[in-house]
């Protein structure tokens, strides 16, 4: 029998004596109780545990003591410690000293042995094996990314053969869930590895990616993938609420890379072969009339098939750029699972370094795939269900992303099993569907700083154990400097309080659980995700309540205020539809909303009426909290159709400005953006599905 209660450890400790008799009684149906799986609480702190087992952990504790973390792990708190054994530390020290490829001789060690470690190395080793929240074995079961006190990730995975948990593909947890007074300790058989190389340098260390590494070098893109932090971040001078404010803005990259084996299977064995392949894909992409790369075609950009691979418009350069995202994301963070219904596939669309292009990531049968194409994927021929197989044909299976997590200092490299390119089928097939973007997905710094989907415990720990409070908001949230995000402009400085509410512990009715708030007399804009040329409905998803205020929308081709044109009349986000008992449409909010389950057709007719008024219900895709009411049935969940117009592939900024500037406690809420192409919302044969 295994007894786990992670969130109420104190209660479990107090009630353990009471639980033991019950465990004994329940065990009467079995001849033996597996005592190895029962938790025991010894009164030890993490530091006590290490000291009391000095024959096994004295070397790791020496490192902790050198930088003062022995005192921290002796005090009150809630930490996770991955403790390497003495043998593991000695092995790691030898590897540091004998590293022939190190930028600094012996990685800066003054001698071979534990005393030869510098204080800086001791600090990095210590912090990379510590997390300031509690991570239990059950958390790591399906693989997860653990943010350490060093600010670097540890990637957990389950070994398919042994069933044991492995960290960063090398260190196996040999004893897990040692629960202690100030956290939990897991014993590892190797010190956890981390790379201090940039993207290209780390990829070069892997023998099976030599050709892709060469492509990064000859295109000059390797030099473009070296950023770590963005400087010049403004200071917040009015954080009286004591929200957590990040001290630095990390940046990074994610690279999808074909291995030498994958390239060879496609007839590519050297850089000339790769350039030839790229020429075949991209040479005609910008041709007048027949070209599919709309941004290049619309701007008369000439594509080069020559050998100057550093030219950003050279086909090989374009080929490589489409493999690179402008943020760092581990395998498990490429898609976010929180409150979606079980029948849907997780989907994200991310902008690549090939100008104004998107790549699609989708989970199918447990696999993560790139650019999977299914016809009529946003349409249905049934009521309140997805379309049948007869209208949804798989045209492209998609390219599998391998769960390998090659981690560099400033990002991740993910091996892929097929050739990735922005060819004709991507804008005309893969992306020809309703595209929903959580707001955090186009704020790249959210991923690079491990903020997207962060738990309240993590945020509180980052904030030194302090919970903030402002107006009706109280909790563990993040507040951002006004110039923290590359794809955001704040026009009135600290009068717009930029906030992220992770929602990890709340039952909010938000897509993926979280929400992005701008408090105060807000005036800001987002750069929208780029979509292929076409006529789209631009929609905003939000939850209405009395604190939201009223907003005027503007749209511009750049972020300057003079380029912005007002869209429609202001939206009063304070108005929430009323659920009339007889199922009749609400008249108070002007949306035409009614509870769809009270209608004879599951809301089909009222959907059309709402659409004509510029509104839509929330989607069937997710629920209030985890497993609660469907968003479609929640009156607060609404989608406002902001614009119905022709978009060109390129730059657009959507501005949000309060029309109630005297209401300084307003909590503007943006949950997600949708781009829905005309052939979906105005289809002659089928209707847009409710998801």
């Amino acid at each position: 029998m295994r007894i786990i209660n992670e969130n109420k450890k104190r209660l479990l400790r107090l009630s353990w004596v009471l639980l033991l008799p019950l465990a004994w009684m329940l065990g009467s149906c079995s001849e033996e109780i597996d005592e190895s799986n029962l938790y025991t609480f010894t009164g030890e702190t993490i530091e006590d545990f290490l000291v009391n087992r000095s024959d096994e952990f004295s070397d790791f504790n020496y490192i902790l003591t050198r930088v003062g973390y022995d005192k921290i792990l002796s005090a009150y708190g809630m930490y996770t410690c991955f403790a390497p054994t003495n043998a593991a530390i000695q092995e790691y020290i030898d590897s540091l000293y004998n590293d022939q490829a190190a930028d600094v001789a012996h990685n800066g060690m003054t001698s071979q042995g534990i005393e030869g470690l510098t204080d800086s190395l001791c600090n990095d080793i210590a912090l990379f094996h510590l997390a300031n929240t509690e991570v239990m074995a059950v958390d790591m079961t399906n693989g997860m990314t653990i943010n350490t006190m060093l600010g670097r990730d540890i990637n957990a995975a389950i070994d398919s053969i042994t069933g044991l948990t492995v960290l960063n593909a090398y260190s196996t947890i040999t004893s897990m869930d040692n629960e202690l007074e100030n956290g939990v300790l897991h014993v590892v058989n190797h010190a956890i590895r981390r790379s201090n190389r940039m993207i290209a340098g780390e990829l070069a260390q892997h023998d099976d990616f030599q050709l892709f590494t060469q492509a990064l070098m000859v295109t000059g893109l390797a030099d473009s993938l070296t950023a770590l932090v963005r400087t010049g971040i403004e200071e917040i001078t009015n954080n009286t609420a004591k929200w957590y404010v990040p001290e630095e803005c990390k940046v990074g990259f994610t690279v999808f890379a074909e291995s030498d084996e994958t390239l060879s299977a496609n007839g590519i064995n050297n850089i000339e072969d790769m350039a030839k392949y790229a020429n075949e894909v991209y040479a005609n992409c910008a041709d007048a009339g027949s070209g599919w790369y709309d941004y290049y075609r619309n701007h008369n950009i000439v594509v080069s098939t020559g050998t100057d691979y550093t030219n950003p418009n050279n086909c090989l350069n374009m080929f490589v750029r489409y493999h690179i995202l402008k943020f760092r994301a581990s395998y498990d963070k490429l898609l976010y699972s929180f409150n979606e219904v079980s029948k849907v596939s997780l989907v994200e669309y991310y902008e690549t370094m090939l100008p104004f292009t998107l790549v699609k990531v989708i989970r199918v049968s447990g696999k993560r795939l790139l650019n999977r194409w299914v016809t009529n994927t946003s349409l249905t021929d049934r009521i309140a269900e997805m379309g049948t197989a007869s209208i949804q044909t798989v045209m492209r299976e998609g390219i599998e992303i391998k769960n390998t997590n090659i981690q560099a200092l400033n990002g991740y490299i993910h091996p892929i099993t097929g050739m990735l390119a922005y060819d004709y089928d991507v804008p005309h097939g893969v992306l020809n569907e309703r595209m929903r973007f959580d707001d955090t997905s186009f704020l790249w710094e959210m991923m690079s700083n491990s903020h997207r989907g962060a738990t309240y415990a993590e945020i509180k720990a980052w904030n030194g154990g302090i919970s903030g409070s402002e107006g009706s908001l109280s909790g563990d949230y993040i507040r951002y400097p006004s110039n923290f995000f590359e794809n955001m402009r704040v026009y009135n400085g600290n009068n717009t309080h930029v906030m992220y509410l992770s929602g990890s512990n709340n039952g909010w009715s938000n897509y993926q659980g979280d929400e992005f708030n701008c408090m105060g007399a807000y005036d800001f804009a987002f750069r929208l995700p780029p979509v292929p040329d076409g006529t789209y409905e631009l929609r905003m998803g939000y939850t209405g309540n009395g604190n939201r205020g009223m907003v005027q929308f503007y749209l511009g081709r750049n972020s300057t205020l003079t380029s912005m044109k007002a869209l429609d009349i202001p939206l009063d986000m304070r108005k929430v539809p009323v659920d009339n008992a007889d199922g009749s449409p609400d008249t108070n909010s002007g949306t035409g909303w009614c509870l769809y389950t009270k209608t004879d057709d599951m809301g089909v007719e009222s959907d059309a009426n709402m659409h004509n008024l510029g509104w839509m219900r929330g989607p069937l895709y997710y629920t209030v909290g985890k497993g609660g009411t469907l968003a479609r049935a929640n009156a607060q969940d609404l989608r406002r159709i902001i614009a119905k117009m022709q978009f060109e592939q390129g730059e657009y900024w959507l501005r949000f400005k309060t029309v109630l500037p005297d209401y300084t406690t307003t909590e503007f809420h943006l949950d997600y953006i949708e781009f829905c192409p005309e052939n979906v919302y105005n289809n002659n044969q089928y209707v847009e599905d409710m998801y």
Side-chain angles (χ1 to χ4, degrees):
M1 181 176 80
R2 187 181 184 94
I3 298 176
I4 298 176
N5 192 335
E6 302 164 47
N7 296 324
K8 298 181 180 178
K9 179 186 284 188
R10 294 178 184 172
L11 178 61
L12 192 151
R13 288 173 179 160
L14 292 172
S15 61
W16 187 249
V17 175
L18 297 176
L19 287 174
L20 280 175
L22 177 60
W24 181 259
M25 293 171 60
L26 293 175
S28 63
C29 62
S30 175
E31 293 183 3
E32 295 182 4
I33 297 177
D34 183 2
E35 294 183 355
S36 66
N37 284 330
L38 290 176
Y39 288 116
T40 57
F41 297 100
T42 64
E44 294 178 307
T45 65
I46 292 174
E47 174 63 12
D48 291 334
F49 184 97
L50 299 172
V51 170
N52 293 339
R53 296 158 185 81
S54 59
D55 58 330
E56 191 174 4
F57 300 108
S58 59
D59 285 347
F60 182 56
N61 201 44
Y62 168 88
I63 292 172
L64 293 171
T65 303
R66 278 271 301 269
V67 289
Y69 275 87
D70 59 325
K71 297 180 179 63
I72 292 174
L73 297 180
S74 298
Y76 174 79
M78 195 57 63
Y79 306 100
T80 297
C81 175
F82 298 100
T85 62
N86 288 341
I89 290 293
Q90 290 299 324
E91 175 196 50
Y92 185 63
I93 289 173
D94 289 342
S95 71
L96 288 176
Y97 191 84
N98 298 320
D99 184 3
Q100 300 297 318
D103 294 333
V104 178
H106 307 303
N107 283 289
M109 291 181 62
T110 58
S111 63
Q112 187 165 10
I114 195 165
E115 292 81 6
L117 291 170
T118 63
D119 288 346
S120 176
L121 281 171
C122 286
N123 184 75
D124 288 358
I125 294 169
L127 295 187
F128 195 55
H129 287 78
L130 300 173
N132 53 18
T133 57
E134 192 176 61
V135 181
M136 305 297 292
V138 68
D139 300 321
M140 297 182 275
T141 299
N142 295 317
M144 70 176 298
T145 299
I146 303 161
N147 191 249
T148 69
M149 291 174 69
L150 185 61
R152 300 280 301 277
D153 293 342
I154 293 175
N155 304 116
I158 304 301
D159 188 292
S160 60
I161 297 175
T162 66
L164 298 175
T165 302
V166 181
L167 307 175
N168 282 8
Y170 182 67
S171 304
T172 300
I173 297 179
T174 57
S175 174
M176 56 177 49
D177 285 355
N178 295 283
E179 290 205 82
L180 303 165
E181 290 299 322
N182 58 348
V184 62
L185 181 145
H186 309 283
V187 180
V188 293
N189 65 348
H190 298 288
I192 305 172
R193 289 181 172 179
R194 70 186 190 282
S195 172
N196 287 322
R197 299 181 178 92
M198 299 300 181
I199 291 285
E202 177 58 32
L203 192 61
Q205 303 303 307
H206 297 262
D207 292 338
D208 46 346
F209 289 95
Q210 294 306 297
L211 187 48
F212 199 92
T213 301
Q214 186 181 357
L216 286 173
M217 303 302 288
V218 300
T219 57
L221 289 170
D223 296 332
S224 302
L225 306 179
T226 58
L228 284 169
V229 296
R230 181 180 303 123
T231 58
I233 301 302
E234 297 174 358
E235 182 181 357
I236 292 178
T237 59
N238 59 349
N239 188 27
T240 56
K242 300 187 183 304
W243 304 117
Y244 167 63
V245 177
E247 294 180 356
E248 65 177 2
C249 180
K250 298 176 184 176
V251 296
F253 307 93
T254 299
V255 177
F256 301 113
E258 294 93 348
S259 67
D260 293 344
E261 181 182 3
T262 297
L263 292 170
S264 181
N266 287 274
I268 301 171
N269 297 294
N270 51 53
I271 203 68
E272 290 76 21
D273 290 343
M274 188 182 286
K276 180 182 177 182
Y277 175 88
N279 290 344
E280 291 171 353
V281 173
Y282 289 103
N284 301 315
C285 67
D287 288 358
S290 59
W292 62 91
Y293 188 1
D294 302 322
Y295 174 73
Y296 266 41
R297 189 189 66 245
N298 294 340
H299 291 81
N300 299 313
I301 297 174
V302 178
V303 175
S304 168
T305 58
T307 57
D308 179 7
Y309 303 136
T310 62
N311 178 353
N313 302 319
N314 175 272
C315 290
L316 180 61
N317 196 295
M318 295 167 65
F319 172 78
V320 178
R321 283 177 184 271
Y322 190 61
H323 288 68
I324 306 170
L325 308 181
K326 302 176 183 181
F327 56 85
R328 60 178 89 182
S330 60
Y331 179 85
D332 73 303
K333 293 294 180 67
L334 288 170
L335 293 169
Y336 279 80
S337 175
F338 185 77
N339 58 345
E340 73 281 354
V341 298
S342 60
K343 64 180 65 177
V344 301
S345 297
L346 300 178
V347 183
E348 297 279 0
Y349 308 89
Y350 295 124
E351 186 173 354
T352 79
M353 282 187 67
L354 183 62
F356 301 108
T357 61
L358 296 174
V359 65
K360 176 182 176 180
V361 184
I362 185 170
R363 186 183 69 181
V364 178
S365 301
K367 296 180 179 180
R368 286 160 171 76
L369 306 175
L370 294 171
N371 285 352
R372 179 177 172 87
W373 174 20
V374 179
T375 60
N376 297 319
T377 186
S378 304
L379 295 166
T380 184
D381 53 355
R382 298 186 291 186
I383 292 179
E385 287 292 340
M386 297 177 185
T388 60
S390 62
I391 72 166
Q392 295 187 338
T393 304
V394 177
M395 304 297 290
R396 278 190 176 182
E397 289 289 345
I399 302 167
E400 184 178 358
I401 307 169
K402 304 300 290 184
N403 186 6
T404 303
N405 278 322
I406 301 173
Q407 187 179 163
L409 179 61
N410 63 338
Y412 282 90
I413 302 127
H414 299 299
I416 56 177
T417 62
M419 301 301 295
L420 178 64
Y422 189 78
D423 58 18
Y424 179 91
D425 288 339
V426 175
H428 292 95
V430 174
L431 303 177
N432 187 21
E433 60 188 15
R434 178 190 59 232
M435 291 178 281
R436 184 175 296 142
F437 301 84
D438 188 83
D439 43 24
T440 59
S441 71
F442 49 82
L443 298 175
W444 306 320
E445 297 82 358
M446 293 292 295
M447 274 82 80
S448 291
N449 289 272
S450 300
H451 292 172
R452 186 180 185 188
T455 66
Y456 286 128
E458 288 174 319
I459 297 171
K460 187 172 185 177
W462 295 337
N463 203 28
I466 298 172
S467 297
S469 179
E470 181 175 5
S472 62
L473 276 185
S474 179
D476 301 303
Y477 308 129
I478 304 176
R479 183 174 171 196
Y480 294 97
S482 59
N483 65 341
F484 192 84
F485 299 109
E486 184 176 340
N487 286 337
M488 183 178 186
R489 297 288 182 272
V490 176
Y491 298 112
N492 59 352
N494 281 329
N495 288 326
T496 298
H497 295 190
V498 183
M499 303 284 298
Y500 175 65
L501 286 57
S502 80
S504 62
N505 292 14
N506 284 314
W508 294 335
S509 189
N510 292 330
Y511 178 56
Q512 298 182 354
D514 57 1
E515 65 180 56
F516 194 90
N517 270 344
C518 282
M519 299 180 64
Y522 58 84
D523 187 2
F524 68 98
F526 285 133
R527 185 169 78 82
L528 293 173
V531 294
D533 281 10
T535 300
Y536 295 86
E537 281 187 351
L538 173 63
R539 308 163 178 169
M540 182 187 85
Y542 73 100
T543 54
N545 69 44
N547 297 319
R548 298 301 191 205
M550 293 181 66
V551 59
Q552 176 65 57
F553 302 110
Y554 301 82
L555 190 68
R557 294 307 301 264
N558 58 59
S559 61
T560 62
L561 292 176
T562 55
S563 79
M564 301 287 183
K565 307 295 183 185
L567 297 173
D568 204 4
I569 61 174
L571 168 64
D572 191 345
M573 301 173 71
R574 300 169 298 180
K575 291 185 177 181
V576 177
V578 175
D579 179 10
N580 294 323
D582 60 359
S584 60
D586 168 67
T587 57
N588 178 63
S589 64
T591 64
W593 189 92
C594 65
L595 185 58
Y596 75 100
T597 55
K598 294 180 179 179
T599 66
D600 295 334
D601 60 359
M602 297 299 288
V604 172
E605 182 178 354
S606 57
D607 278 343
N609 293 334
M610 287 184 66
H611 197 270
N612 289 335
L613 295 171
W615 294 94
M616 297 179 69
R617 293 180 171 91
L620 278 176
Y621 185 95
Y622 64 89
T623 61
V624 178
K626 290 187 175 183
T629 303
L630 289 164
R632 179 171 168 79
N634 182 36
Q636 287 182 278
D637 266 287
L638 294 166
R639 282 177 280 182
R640 178 63 177 172
I641 301 171
I642 298 174
K644 187 181 298 183
M645 57 177 281
Q646 174 74 24
F647 283 86
E648 293 183 352
Q649 187 177 29
E651 185 174 2
Y652 287 90
W653 288 79
L654 183 61
R655 178 187 177 198
F656 308 87
K657 186 178 189 301
T658 181
V659 296
L660 301 172
D662 294 335
Y663 287 73
T664 57
T665 59
T666 297
E667 300 170 14
F668 170 84
H669 173 222
L670 173 65
D671 193 8
Y672 57 89
I673 289 289
E674 287 182 355
F675 276 98
C676 187
E678 185 176 25
N679 69 296
V680 173
Y681 72 77
N682 193 29
N683 193 280
N684 293 326
Q685 190 172 4
Y686 308 114
V687 296
E688 182 179 351
D689 68 37
M690 299 176 184
Y691 290 87

